[in-house]
Amino acid sequence: MTDASHSQTPQGSPVWDPSHQGTGRPSGSPSWSSHPSAESGWAAGGATFAGVLMMVNGILAVFQGIAAIAEDDVYARIGDYVYEINLTGWGWILMILGVIAAVAGWGILKGAAWARVTGIVLASLSLVLQFLFLPYAPVWSIILIAIDVFVIWALAVYRPTGSGTRPA
């Protein structure tokens, strides 16, 4: 046989199978998915990055809360706002959620399943609270909303494999 497409290995299976032409994968291997799997570097890296972001976001929320509690003149005064809450109240909310977020971020980095679920819930809650905090610190709130969206996505996509075994 002179045609390279019909070459045979010593075991009798074709070296090149036209059924996978253009796919970049051997025949019989699992199909590509648009969703990152637990084995995907994007999913695992995204979950790790989400854990770091949760820790940093939590620590920064604690500082933001302390600033709101300590000095009422740190943030701009606004006139009539539908969701108006005393800045001291915002400070306590941010501080408590910041501590919980930092602990959840640490748990995510340790691989705890409870931390993934807690992280999604906290990032969702943080997203809503930052929306409500927009008049006080608009640029900072928009940045944190974007971070919260990424954290929700990264933690929702990541599916760790159970006991460290890899699927065949």
Side-chain angles (χ1 to χ4, degrees), residues 56-71:
V56 171
N57 191 5
I59 291 167
L60 291 176
V62 168
F63 290 145
Q64 190 178 11
I66 290 171
I69 292 169
E71 300 267 344

Side-chain angles (χ1 to χ4, degrees), residues 8-13:
Q8 300 284 322
T9 63
Q11 292 81 19
S13 61

Side-chain angles (χ1 to χ4, degrees), residues 1 18 29 35 42 44 55 59 63-64 66 117 119-120 126 152 156 161 168:
M1 284 186 212
S29 67
H35 303 298
W42 282 102
M55 283 182 50
I59 291 167
F63 290 145
Q64 190 178 11
I66 290 171
V117 173
I120 291 171
S126 172
I152 292 167
T161 55

Side-chain angles (χ1 to χ4, degrees), residues 37-61:
S37 69
E39 303 297 320
S40 167
W42 282 102
T48 301
F49 189 52
V52 171
L53 283 175
M54 290 276 302
M55 283 182 50
V56 171
N57 191 5
I59 291 167
L60 291 176

Side-chain angles (χ1 to χ4, degrees), residues 1 3-18 20 26-27:
M1 284 186 212
D3 187 3
S5 67
H6 293 94
S7 301
Q8 300 284 322
T9 63
Q11 292 81 19
S13 61
V15 174
W16 184 81
D17 183 355
H20 69 273
S27 65

Side-chain angles (χ1 to χ4, degrees), residues 79-125:
D80 292 330
Y81 181 48
V82 176
Y83 308 109
E84 186 174 345
I85 294 180
N86 178 327
L87 274 179
T88 304
W90 274 117
W92 282 107
I93 290 170
L94 290 170
M95 217 162 76
I96 291 168
L97 286 177
V99 168
I100 296 169
V103 170
W106 175 79
I108 290 166
L109 292 176
K110 292 293 186 185
W114 64 265
R116 243 183 69 224
V117 173
T118 304
I120 291 171
V121 170
L122 283 175
S124 301
L125 186 58

